[in-house]
Amino acid sequence: MLIHSASQLLTLAGGPQRGLELGQLGLIEDGAVVVREGKIAATGTTLQLQAAYSDEESFNAEGRVIMPGFVDPHTHALWAGNRAAEFEMRLQGKTYLEIMAAGGGIVSTVRATRAASLEELKAETLPRLRNAFVHGTTTMEAKSGYGLDTETELRMLEALLELGKETPLDLALTFLGAHAIPEEYKGNSQGYTDLVCAEMLPAVHAWCKQTDTTLPFVDVFCETGAFSLAQSRQILETAQGLGFPLKVHADEFDNLGGSSLAAELGAASADHLVVTSLKDIAALAASDTVAVGLPCTPFGLAEQEYTPAKEILEADGLLAIATDFNPGTAWCENMQFAIALACRYMKLTPAQAIAAATINAAAAIQREQQVGSLEPGKQADLLLLDVPDYRHLGYRFGSNLVRTVMKKGQFYPVKENYAPF
Ligand code: NIG
Ligand code: FE
């Protein structure tokens, strides 16, 4: 199929974009794209491709913007229950870490998740995945981490694996057994760390073999009240020894050194990065570890500090953005909103935010060869936006600009012609 007459076609061609190179959109005015067997066959101007592919079935984009589907490289999309009461407590003055220390926070979602069956977890999660998809996310990373025991962590991974097979969304799995200290290990974080290393990681490894699944990322919440730097290192090094690729939640509230550890171990990404020092930024920039900013999280917590994108880019780092979609700090499935926040609070231009949400986000989950740009041979995952100019992304917020999602060459219309007046 030839999709033509896009006001702007954003190819994002050329691979992940480091430092101040961020924002190369590969923009083609009056653009067109040829899709064959679920893959991109060609991109160019409407004139060029209509001449070269005159026999191809054609579809008129009618002046819309076409771009790659969003890659959301950091979510906690699978859980049971909700934490609306904690949202209210925070508005009344309690902090996230205070609520966590008092037995709320992540472990309250753990209680609900442990009590939920595989089918219940999938049923609660499916509408959230649909919502992400209609807002343009075609590939999503999703973490376990609300089980904190071997059985429930494996059930979460199993549910995510099934959802990935049963929906058009591509899910990249992450094992986050080291998300919090479960209640039965309260005061014994080292005991729980040892359990993650001795029992959970080998169990996840064996489960992957059994189910013929590629090894997920292994992630650790390196934070005060969660896992110390030494415990994070212990878990990540054990995981690396078993062959798992790595990720780190680093510098969300306190700087324990998690981002430098991520760079040292060659992690795929270090995420959050709010209180990251210039030294850590230099370490990240000297590595291939992608710095993932999560602007929905400080927004969700009504905090003032965001990821220092300018410093990361000036140091020549690789920067991506994600939603951090989770029930505690950021219930937001929508990458368009993450872009709008990144423009305002991380001071990215729309072009930079778009590259951070596509090709660089793909690099953060090691899928830059398959998704994140429109280049021959890559998956035909693309969006038709109901806007005449890409800068409307970021500029506009709070409504959905996606008109049609194409995933692996198949169209999924988003807005019907519903006109109540
Ligand atoms: O990335 N920081 C740790 N984990 C999540 C929050 C999860 C939760 O509160 O349920 C995050 O923000
Ligand atoms: Fe997170």
Side-chain angles (χ1 to χ4, degrees):
M1 171 181 290
L2 167 66
I3 310 173
H4 62 86
S5 304
S7 57
Q8 301 170 333
L9 179 90
L10 314 183
T11 66
L12 280 298
Q17 301 176 10
R18 209 174 248 289
L20 297 169
E21 270 179 18
L22 186 69
Q24 312 286 318
L25 296 177
L27 189 153
I28 302 173
E29 276 180 31
D30 194 9
V33 51
V34 176
V35 173
R36 282 185 177 167
E37 285 164 9
K39 298 236 157 83
I40 304 293
T43 58
T45 64
T46 297
L47 220 62
Q48 285 166 342
L49 296 194
Q50 276 178 337
Y53 294 86
S54 53
D55 295 338
E56 203 80 23
E57 178 193 351
S58 77
F59 180 91
N60 189 340
E62 294 174 339
R64 297 196 170 87
V65 169
I66 298 182
M67 65 171 290
F70 297 121
V71 177
D72 189 346
H74 183 137
T75 85
H76 306 252
L78 187 104
W79 74 84
N82 71 76
R83 308 228 296 273
E86 287 181 12
F87 173 58
E88 190 174 54
M89 283 164 72
R90 286 205 308 273
L91 296 175
Q92 289 160 346
K94 291 253 184 309
T95 69
Y96 181 76
L97 290 185
E98 280 166 1
I99 293 169
M100 190 163 112
I106 294 168
V107 297
S108 74
T109 299
V110 170
R111 284 191 286 273
T113 302
R114 284 180 177 176
S117 69
L118 180 98
E119 287 310 320
E120 285 165 345
L121 287 173
K122 283 173 64 183
E124 284 202 43
T125 303
L126 185 63
R128 301 176 201 144
L129 300 187
R130 286 195 185 115
N131 200 22
F133 190 78
V134 300
H135 286 88
T137 298
T138 47
T139 299
M140 181 194 264
E141 184 263 11
K143 303 176 198 291
S144 70
Y146 292 118
L148 310 187
D149 61 35
T150 306
E151 184 197 326
T152 317
E153 286 293 314
L154 287 176
R155 186 157 75 250
M156 289 189 75
L157 290 174
E158 185 81 48
L160 288 169
L161 185 67
E162 290 186 13
L163 286 165
K165 288 181 179 156
E166 292 163 12
T167 68
L169 204 56
D170 274 320
L171 292 181
L173 272 49
T174 295
F175 169 67
L176 180 57
H179 194 194
I181 312 301
E183 281 168 312
E184 59 277 19
Y185 280 87
K186 201 166 181 191
N188 182 16
S189 60
Q190 189 54 44
Y192 183 66
T193 301
D194 294 339
L195 180 83
V196 171
C197 292
E199 184 183 305
M200 291 190 180
L201 288 171
V204 173
H205 196 274
W207 173 80
C208 291
K209 278 245 155 96
Q210 266 165 35
T211 53
D212 200 20
T213 307
T214 45
L215 292 180
F217 294 98
V218 169
D219 194 347
V220 176
F221 188 18
C222 181
E223 185 62 59
T224 305
F227 297 85
S228 69
L229 185 66
Q231 291 165 342
S232 301
R233 178 185 285 280
Q234 184 187 338
I235 292 163
L236 293 168
E237 286 184 346
T238 305
Q240 192 157 53
L242 291 167
F244 290 98
L246 308 177
K247 286 182 167 281
V248 185
H249 277 68
D251 309 333
E252 180 176 0
F253 302 105
D254 290 325
N255 184 326
L256 306 189
S259 47
S260 287
L261 178 65
E264 178 197 325
L265 297 179
S269 70
D271 306 42
H272 281 291
L273 308 179
V274 177
V275 292
T276 307
S277 70
L278 287 175
K279 193 165 149 264
D280 297 315
I281 289 174
L284 284 172
S287 76
D288 287 330
T289 300
V290 180
V292 182
L294 307 171
C296 299
T297 308
F299 179 82
L301 293 170
E303 289 183 349
Q304 308 308 314
E305 265 192 280
Y306 286 75
T307 302
K310 183 167 169 272
E311 285 76 5
I312 293 170
L313 297 181
E314 280 172 355
D316 210 26
L318 274 164
L319 180 73
I321 58 172
T323 59
D324 194 21
F325 177 32
N326 77 76
T329 61
W331 189 320
C332 175
E333 296 95 329
N334 180 359
M335 283 293 281
Q336 297 168 59
F337 189 62
I339 288 172
L341 293 178
C343 290
R344 286 164 184 75
Y345 297 111
M346 293 168 61
K347 309 276 182 262
L348 299 185
T349 63
Q352 290 176 323
I354 289 168
T358 54
I359 187 62
N360 281 16
I365 55 168
Q366 297 178 334
R367 296 210 182 184
E368 70 276 15
Q369 304 293 334
Q370 293 85 45
V371 297
S373 65
L374 304 180
E375 293 176 88
K378 290 185 97 171
Q379 277 185 30
D381 293 0
L382 56 84
L383 310 176
L384 273 70
L385 303 179
D386 236 345
V387 300
D389 182 306
Y390 73 85
R391 289 171 295 191
H392 285 237
L393 271 177
Y395 166 46
R396 290 161 64 170
F397 56 92
S399 65
N400 188 6
L401 304 179
V402 173
R403 172 64 180 250
T404 303
V405 179
M406 173 178 272
K407 179 67 186 174
K408 292 183 180 154
Q410 189 168 331
F411 274 129
Y412 297 86
V414 170
K415 288 186 204 158
E416 300 305 328
N417 289 328
Y418 173 62
F421 48 80

